[in-house]
Amino acid sequence: MQLKTILNRVQKHPLFVYGQPRLAQQDEEPVIEVPVRPRVGSRPKCSGCSQPGPGYDTSPERHFEFVPMWGTRVFFLYPMRRVDCSDCGVRVEEVPWAKGKNQLTTTYRWFLARWAKRMSWKDVAKAFRTSWEHVFSSVEMAVTWGREHRDLEGIEAIGIDEIYWSKSKKFLTLVYQIDQGCKRLLWIGRKRRVKTLLGFFRWFGKERSQKLRFICSDMWKPYLKVVAKKASQAVHVLDRFHIMSHMSKAIDEVRAQEVRLLKAKGLEPILTRTRWLFLKRVCNLTRTQGTKLANVLQYNLRTVRAYLLKEEFQFFWAYVSHAWAGKFLDRWCTKVMRSRIDPMKKVARMLRRHRPLILNWFKAKGQFSSGAVEGFNGKARVITRRAFGFRTYEALEVALYHTLGELPEPIFTHRFC
Ligand SMILES: [Zn+2]
């Protein structure tokens, strides 16, 4: 069997034919070169208007990199013709395997982009002996295509979240679709201001915004304001994940204060290395952590009291009745206000202020995927932290869309990976 036969099976172009592949040397490594020529009698297509026209002349041979085979890089060799187009003038021809001045074939770019979903861009570059820039531009192409071709119909529930990108020392606003059957990243905006979220609604469009039934977000004021203005018909839910993270932050603050206090009294060891014990759910603790927590809980510490208040609040989410949940919330807040633990009191005041939106959780229960925002938040953090080597905001944005956007891909006759 000849290499040509395989090529014609996996990548056929009706107006072009493959010549005899040969082994060559490039930068002291073997490569496979495949000459390509136009089918006899075919006319070149103008790259300006895609119409066939009379040939003008032929440029020197160009190399287009294709999917590697057996660890050997593969190149198509083709001298581009120029077309004397009646509309556009003299133009270089359009070829089906690559776009514009790109040195990589489109198939190879999709190949790299797909691998970049499974491993870091750096590893992809290494595995296929190409550059980080080539991997990046391939992913960027996949994201651009995917965003242009995705279907935005039928979106009923969205979640608004923010993540902190330490490189730019700024927040990013992320909007997810969190419908039961479809969860994906929809949109990314710089910062987390009124203007940022307005940008989302402008992009999403009035008609689609009016069809939203549930919006899940944090208690961040700019978000509340914009949602009330742009999608007033939707039930706005302050979600569990964000509320519980406010409590975790409060406990962290109490703990830090208390550590300083104990240190002054020379009782320091009680709270050392306990940070994660208080922040994790009990069911997620290891056996050793569990023992350690049980030990710390014996002391009448402010941190311990704050922790118990948070654990008690977990019952809130299990209520079925809106009214009973409301009563529980009020009782809990009263208790906290008497606790003399300031960071927790701050949380209680915040919950009181947003009582109706918090109770919306029970109105919306089961109608959207409630854990989705938390899940996405975790993944987005991993991506922003992972050593993709992105130096710019644009690269980060591309990486987030690529991994979390569930973007569509064109249909190919052959799947290379
Ligand atoms: Zn033309």
Side-chain angles (χ1 to χ4, degrees):
M1 183 178 55
Q2 286 197 324
L3 217 53
K4 246 164 75 174
T5 319
I6 307 176
L7 267 171
N8 276 316
R9 174 73 65 84
V10 299
Q11 185 93 131
K12 198 173 171 63
H13 300 297
L15 297 175
F16 298 85
V17 287
Y18 295 113
Q20 202 53 254
R22 57 178 179 248
L23 210 55
Q25 205 75 10
Q26 212 184 79
D27 301 329
E28 289 174 26
E29 73 172 296
V31 296
I32 298 169
E33 291 182 345
V34 185
V36 180
R37 54 186 162 77
R39 196 169 284 284
V40 179
S42 75
R43 299 209 302 168
K45 281 182 185 170
C46 162
S47 57
C49 61
S50 296
Q51 290 307 309
Y56 182 77
D57 62 0
T58 304
S59 326
E61 197 169 65
R62 264 180 64 183
H63 283 54
F64 298 90
E65 189 160 3
F66 190 62
V67 181
M69 195 174 162
W70 293 328
T72 311
R73 295 167 78 190
V74 176
F75 291 90
F76 289 169
L77 271 46
Y78 181 71
M80 304 285 273
R81 292 169 290 177
R82 286 205 294 171
V83 193
D84 190 6
C85 178
S86 54
D87 293 330
C88 318
V90 175
R91 286 281 187 114
V92 71
E93 74 173 309
E94 177 185 283
V95 290
W97 57 83
K99 290 245 153 37
K101 292 204 164 67
N102 224 292
Q103 299 163 23
L104 308 185
T105 58
T106 309
T107 303
Y108 185 41
R109 296 171 85 199
W110 279 103
F111 175 85
L112 291 176
R114 252 193 217 140
W115 275 106
K117 267 189 194 169
R118 304 172 192 160
M119 49 200 205
S120 79
W121 297 357
K122 215 170 125 193
D123 287 341
V124 176
K126 218 181 198 175
F128 301 107
R129 278 185 245 146
T130 183
S131 65
W132 186 92
E133 282 73 20
H134 276 159
V135 178
F136 169 60
S137 78
S138 303
V139 175
E140 197 180 27
M141 168 217 64
V143 166
T144 309
W145 194 94
R147 287 180 68 197
E148 275 165 15
H149 291 83
R150 64 185 164 168
D151 181 7
L152 295 174
E153 287 312 304
I155 299 176
E156 293 191 338
I158 59 167
I160 305 164
D161 188 22
E162 68 282 313
I163 53 163
Y164 182 71
W165 189 34
S166 52
K167 203 147 201 168
S168 70
K169 306 225 181 326
K170 273 181 195 123
F171 279 95
L172 306 181
T173 297
L174 306 180
V175 182
Y176 308 108
Q177 176 178 6
I178 53 169
D179 283 294
Q180 289 289 11
C182 184
K183 297 182 281 272
R184 57 180 166 164
L185 171 66
L186 287 177
W187 189 85
I188 309 171
R190 283 182 201 227
K191 301 183 186 161
R192 48 164 189 180
R193 300 203 181 136
V194 167
K195 227 171 109 186
T196 317
L197 200 55
L198 281 175
F200 164 74
F201 282 105
R202 198 176 322 118
W203 165 81
F204 197 54
K206 205 170 172 181
E207 202 179 310
R208 274 194 285 262
S209 302
Q210 243 115 66
K211 285 185 189 150
L212 290 172
R213 292 175 57 222
F214 302 103
I215 299 178
C216 226
S217 85
D218 194 2
M219 288 167 259
W220 185 239
K221 215 184 216 159
Y223 290 170
L224 301 180
K225 226 164 108 180
V226 175
V227 168
K229 192 172 155 203
K230 292 290 179 184
S232 51
Q233 82 292 344
V235 177
H236 190 174
V237 186
L238 299 185
D239 70 283
R240 176 177 183 164
F241 162 62
H242 282 116
I243 290 172
M244 294 321 281
S245 28
H246 281 290
M247 283 191 206
S248 295
K249 264 180 224 152
I251 291 175
D252 229 17
E253 214 179 307
V254 176
R255 189 185 160 274
Q257 282 171 5
E258 199 156 44
V259 165
R260 278 196 296 273
L261 217 75
L262 289 176
K263 207 171 180 176
K265 289 183 189 164
L267 292 167
E268 195 184 355
I270 304 176
L271 279 177
T272 42
R273 291 173 195 274
T274 55
R275 182 162 181 240
W276 293 104
L277 303 184
F278 292 113
L279 298 184
K280 272 167 113 177
R281 296 292 313 274
V282 177
C283 50
N284 294 334
L285 293 176
T286 64
R287 188 192 281 252
T288 343
Q289 286 174 325
T291 319
K292 187 148 192 199
L293 179 67
N295 180 39
V296 180
L297 291 185
Q298 295 170 16
Y299 297 92
N300 183 24
L301 296 170
R302 287 155 66 81
T303 314
V304 168
R305 279 187 286 137
Y307 170 77
L308 293 176
L309 285 169
K310 176 191 157 203
E311 280 304 300
E312 192 185 328
F313 194 82
Q314 296 286 8
F315 289 109
F316 174 73
W317 308 106
Y319 275 95
V320 178
S321 139
H322 180 269
W324 283 106
K327 276 189 187 135
F328 175 91
L329 180 66
D330 297 338
R331 270 203 316 270
W332 188 87
C333 288
T334 312
K335 194 167 164 187
V336 173
M337 291 314 284
R338 286 181 193 145
S339 72
R340 281 180 291 176
I341 306 173
D342 284 335
M344 289 303 279
K345 279 162 78 176
K346 214 171 115 195
V347 174
R349 274 196 293 270
M350 194 163 68
L351 296 186
R352 275 181 174 167
R353 219 168 31 239
H354 299 296
R355 191 179 187 274
L357 295 194
I358 293 168
L359 290 174
N360 271 348
W361 166 269
F362 299 93
K363 254 191 223 167
K365 215 170 183 182
Q367 306 211 45
F368 62 87
S369 173
S370 56
V373 174
E374 182 167 10
F376 276 125
N377 185 284
K379 283 182 201 152
R381 274 169 202 245
V382 172
I383 294 166
T384 49
R385 250 184 258 143
R386 193 161 28 177
F388 268 118
F390 27 64
R391 295 163 272 261
T392 61
Y393 169 78
E394 280 70 25
L396 172 65
E397 196 177 292
V398 165
L400 286 167
Y401 276 123
H402 192 53
T403 10
L404 304 177
E406 294 285 326
L407 295 172
E409 288 180 7
I411 297 160
F412 296 104
T413 44
H414 179 77
R415 237 190 123 87
F416 285 85
C417 63

